Amino acid sequence: MLSSVLIANRGEIAVRVMKTAKRLGLRTIAVYSEADANAMHVRMADEAYCIGPAAARESYLVIEKIIVVAKQAKAEAIHPGYGFLSERAEFAEACAEAGIVFVGPPASAIRAMGLKDGAKALMQKAGVPVVPGYHGAMQEPKFLKEKAYEIGYPVLIKAVAGGGGKGMKRVDKAMDFDEALASAQREAQGAFGDPRVLIEKYVLSPRHIEIQVFGDTKGNVVHLFERDCSLQRRHQKVIEEAPAPGMPEAMREAMGRAAVEAAKAVGYVGAGTVEFIADGSQGLQPDRFWFMEMNTRLQVEHPVTEAITGQDLVEWQLRVASGERLPLLQENLAIGGHAVEARLYAEDPEKGFLPSTGTLHALEFGSAEGVRIDTGVEEGAEVSPYYDPMIAKVIAHGATRDEALDRLGQALAGTVVAGPRTNVRFLKALTEAEGFRAGDFDTGFIDRNVEALGAVPQPMDAEAARLGILKAIDTEWSHRNWQDGGLTDENTSPWQHVDGFQLGTARSITRRYWVNGEMVEARLTWPGPKPGHGEPNVAVTLDGGVSRFLSDYLALSHLPMFRQTPEVLFVIRNGRQTEIRAFDPLDVDLDHLDGGGSVKAPMHGKVVQVFVEAGQQVAKGDRIAVIEAMKMEHTLVAPSDGTVTMVAVLAGEQVAEGAPVASIEASAAQAA
Ligand code: ADP
Ligand code: ADP
Ligand code: MG
């Protein structure tokens, strides 16, 4: 076995690789960019080296820097993870030149599979069925259009250097071909520096089914069954599972054989994935699948294969890289149960899946039997804009598909993230979606069901907003009570501490808050103290509904969860995040400003501070005074630019609701 390994990656995959490497007794070496100085993978490693600025092309993608560090740290091997340098033949070559073991296939295999056109030609020669189409050298638009006609619409234009679903265009009719081609070429040039494309028949009712393969240096190649990755958005995987629902044994055998052939044809060593597209329109059939591409690395979704086979694929990789034989041969491999993986992303499904970065103020994963969490971040960490916004992979294993999906749903339901928006609720909805549950789906499933899955703009969660406001008031009161030294032995509950003015009739005030960036008005009323109750007796009216006493809601099943920072309060309820901020400047009580320029007390209370004196110039929004009532402070501000003509109160004084506090004469410019 190797004695040390450098992991040329970051995030969850770096952590994942290190876990196994440590278990096997290897010394682990991390590399990191300046943005990742405090990252989990850095803290976990035995040694860590900074390799440059945040931008990947100045750090994680610089082959020379990584080789220098590997030599300095005396790393025996380099594991590339996935993404970044994992599929760069030059990287495998640079390792070889430096006398370092590359944990991956030979450079020649990476190169053979690197471009989709060459790979397809090679597979055709090896007798592997490929998607019908044109993958030759000619790139003239007129010629390609003729080919598209021969293939028959709909067709798919793909970048030969493509990856991550980029540079891919579906064309349904000849009329749209020219424009789609130009756009695919532009995208391909931009993303891969190579404008070349190929044309494929667009398979209807497409199912993405891939086969995990493994080779060793002795010429053994096995497959570890299939993964179904048909739940996709923009040609990118969202949920993956193994085995594939509805997969006939004959087809599994045929696909496994084809994948092993593919791997053998390029002298494959290590972990690889052969991706196929299958026509699911009449159910899966052994003669209705075609090679799409081979990914010459460990795949994001490898844990579902680990779950159903009971094998550790990173261990297999390290063993093979050490020159050992494959741990098991084909006849010793079997499928046990069913596994599903969901990719938890920092993105907002309600806003077109826009990436959502920032500090993870809360990060907790739900637990359920058979659930595994792969992550590279924890509470307090940042989701930075520099890298892939994946927060974690949630993987569930069960005896049956339903059990695995139930467990995945349970884990997702208990997952709480505050700060960045996430797709957790969307993923949860997918685990429950009828067609998907029934195994009746293809790669268009998500697009066809976006609305039902909640991935469209949604109205504000008014109840979450009301409860959040109650929570904020609760915090505000307890904070003030502490400041006042109000907690004594005989009165340990601050809410029982009653101010004189509070007795008597119900009082109310309007406060403004930013809820998810939108200004809302909440009516706060307090009908007087409720003896013996341990929280403020305030009712919050918002959006036509009223909420009161947080404790009543905590008993409900849809228990909200709160996270507070000095600026924001997050309410997480039903997998959705509602963000509440105080209206700035502080609590501007616009109701009690009038055009005549007089500032009035919004409620009965005590004047805490006065900021102005007669004759002073003020600007609109400047603070005039702070009034406290019910342990909440309300800042009164100037309604317009102007001059203070009168101040009617002194600090420490009690004022009645509606009492004048100050008068401001608007300046001429303002008045005109
Ligand atoms: P593919 O979508 O290419 O068939 P995968 O599902 O395994 O294969 O996804 C790999 C993709 O993950 C890469 O193409 C890249 O966009 C993304 N990626 C790369 N590096 C990282 C990383 N460190 N963390 C998360 N995602 C990454
Ligand atoms: P990438 O390198 O971006 O992963 P792939 O060739 O693997 O590119 O295709 C990505 C996805 O696009 C597939 O998972 C599948 O959903 C869809 N796709 C690719 N080829 C076809 C096809 N011929 N017909 C229908 N869908 C396809
Ligand atoms: Mg692919």
Side-chain angles (χ1 to χ4, degrees), residues 246-568:
M247 176 75 130
E249 195 51 46
M251 182 170 178
R252 175 171 296 130
E253 268 165 34
M255 289 186 90
R257 227 180 2 255
V260 168
E261 284 306 318
K264 283 188 170 159
V266 295
Y268 205 79
V269 176
T273 295
V274 184
E275 295 189 335
F276 296 97
I277 195 90
D279 176 352
S281 58
Q282 262 114 50
L284 296 175
Q285 287 167 35
D287 59 347
R288 312 215 65 155
F289 69 89
W290 302 275
F291 171 89
M292 277 194 300
E293 65 161 345
M294 180 170 188
N295 292 323
T296 53
R297 53 172 163 87
L298 192 67
Q299 203 101 333
V300 174
E301 57 275 21
H302 76 277
V304 294
T305 300
E306 297 188 318
I308 62 155
T309 59
Q311 301 301 310
D312 178 335
L313 296 192
V314 174
E315 177 175 344
W316 280 45
Q317 286 188 298
L318 294 172
R319 291 203 180 283
V320 166
S322 305
E324 292 180 28
R325 284 181 181 282
L326 288 176
L328 293 175
L329 289 179
Q330 198 68 57
E331 56 270 28
N332 302 319
L333 285 158
I335 297 177
H338 199 101
V340 201
E341 170 183 285
R343 301 187 186 195
L344 178 64
Y345 270 97
E347 63 184 15
D348 190 350
E350 294 177 28
K351 294 209 175 102
F353 293 89
L354 264 173
S356 177
T357 53
T359 304
L360 290 161
H361 292 292
L363 178 60
E364 282 172 28
F365 297 103
S367 57
E369 214 186 316
V371 167
R372 157 179 168 184
I373 309 288
D374 278 18
T375 186
V377 288
E378 57 208 330
E379 208 160 290
E382 291 281 319
V383 176
S384 95
Y386 299 107
Y387 316 109
D388 190 280
M390 189 162 78
I391 296 173
K393 303 187 301 207
V394 182
I395 306 112
H397 187 210
T400 61
R401 183 169 189 262
D402 272 331
E403 188 173 60
L405 283 169
D406 286 346
R407 289 172 172 182
L408 178 63
Q410 203 182 323
L412 291 169
T415 296
V416 174
V417 183
R421 298 294 166 98
T422 75
N423 63 346
V424 68
R425 189 170 161 203
F426 172 71
L427 294 173
K428 175 81 174 28
L430 274 172
T431 65
E432 288 160 5
E434 219 176 287
F436 178 56
R437 269 284 172 158
D440 173 23
F441 62 103
D442 58 37
T443 60
F445 185 86
I446 289 179
D447 280 345
R448 285 194 300 270
N449 294 286
V450 266
E451 209 157 320
L453 294 165
V456 286
Q458 301 280 336
M460 173 186 73
D461 181 351
E463 181 152 299
R466 289 190 297 267
L467 298 180
I469 291 167
L470 276 178
K471 177 72 179 170
I473 292 167
D474 198 281
T475 308
E476 201 176 324
W477 282 29
S478 86
H479 178 68
R480 288 197 54 73
N481 212 70
W482 277 102
Q483 278 185 336
D484 297 348
L487 288 183
T488 61
D489 284 345
E490 61 267 312
N491 181 16
T492 45
S493 169
W495 320 131
Q496 287 162 5
H497 186 82
V498 176
D499 292 329
F501 63 83
Q502 192 189 324
L503 297 167
T505 55
R507 315 205 181 283
S508 72
I509 184 180
T510 300
R511 264 196 176 188
R512 288 174 162 81
Y513 294 89
W514 294 111
V515 175
N516 297 337
E518 235 172 85
M519 201 188 70
V520 302
E521 281 189 357
R523 197 79 196 156
L524 312 187
T525 48
W526 44 92
K530 184 178 180 187
H533 212 285
E535 57 185 305
N537 187 11
V538 175
V540 176
T541 308
L542 178 76
D543 214 36
V546 187
S547 298
R548 201 172 152 194
F549 294 126
L550 273 181
S551 52
D552 293 351
Y553 294 89
L554 301 184
L556 300 177
S557 57
H558 297 314
L559 174 98
M561 161 137 186
F562 303 103
R563 276 299 152 125
Q564 259 169 305
T565 76
E567 298 85 34
V568 204

Side-chain angles (χ1 to χ4, degrees), residues 15 50 95 135 140 142 148 194 351 447 450 505 564 589 609:
V15 169
C50 183
C95 290
H135 48 263
E140 280 79 10
K142 203 167 154 272
D194 182 346
K351 294 209 175 102
D447 280 345
V450 266
T505 55
Q564 259 169 305
D589 205 300
Q609 243 182 316

Side-chain angles (χ1 to χ4, degrees), residues 501 505-510 523-524 526 589 591-592 599-606 627 629 654-661:
F501 63 83
T505 55
R507 315 205 181 283
S508 72
I509 184 180
T510 300
R523 197 79 196 156
L524 312 187
W526 44 92
D589 205 300
D591 279 358
H592 293 83
V599 179
K600 293 174 186 160
M603 69 295 186
H604 286 57
K606 187 169 108 178
I627 297 188
Q654 292 283 340
V655 288
E657 180 173 341
V661 171

Side-chain angles (χ1 to χ4, degrees), residues 86-89 92-93 102 104-115 119 122-123 262-271 294-297:
S86 61
E87 291 184 276
R88 292 267 293 274
E93 279 161 356
F102 177 71
S108 57
I110 300 180
R111 212 160 256 138
M113 290 297 187
L115 296 175
L122 199 76
M123 289 304 105
K264 283 188 170 159
V266 295
Y268 205 79
V269 176
M294 180 170 188
N295 292 323
T296 53
R297 53 172 163 87

